Amino acid sequence: EKTLMAIHEIVMDYPAFKVQIEGHTDNVGKAASNMTLSQKRAESVMNYLVAKYKTPADRLSAKGFGDTKPIADNKTDAGKAKNRRVDFSVFKK
């Protein structure tokens, strides 16, 4: 919740910036299914920000990356858990 509030505040405090919400998965399952899951994960976070905090939707975007950008080893349960995540990128419009 703290992270989501911080993202909302960035959007509201810096009108020249936009936030991309990036969904990720581990490597379990088919690549196409993981891409769909990661997109839905990112969209879910975006919809939450808009609904709960009234974050302007036009300042947010959602993109799924599936299992293409792991941050940990998918050979372990701990690594897979770290790869199932949502990241945020802030950039100038």
Side-chain angles (χ1 to χ4, degrees):
E1 201 61 34
K2 283 175 96 174
T3 300
L4 296 178
M5 176 56 87
I7 295 299
H8 170 75
E9 289 173 357
I10 288 169
V11 170
M12 300 311 290
D13 292 346
Y14 300 95
F17 288 89
K18 190 170 178 176
V19 174
Q20 179 170 275
I21 302 160
E22 302 169 349
H24 301 273
T25 66
D26 59 26
N27 68 346
V28 175
K30 294 181 179 179
S33 296
N34 284 338
M35 197 61 73
T36 300
L37 175 61
S38 66
Q39 181 65 36
K40 287 182 179 181
R41 185 170 281 157
E43 289 171 359
S44 177
V45 172
M46 185 173 94
N47 292 337
Y48 184 85
L49 284 166
V50 171
K52 174 145 185 173
Y53 297 111
K54 308 298 184 232
T55 308
D58 64 341
R59 304 273 308 287
L60 303 171
S61 63
K63 179 153 177 64
F65 288 94
D67 62 357
T68 64
K69 295 186 174 190
I71 59 169
D73 190 343
N74 275 309
K75 293 178 183 171
T76 68
D77 288 341
K80 287 177 186 176
K82 287 181 182 178
N83 289 328
R84 296 186 298 266
R85 69 191 192 282
V86 173
D87 292 331
F88 301 91
S89 293
V90 179
F91 56 94
K92 219 166 187 184
K93 288 199 250 181

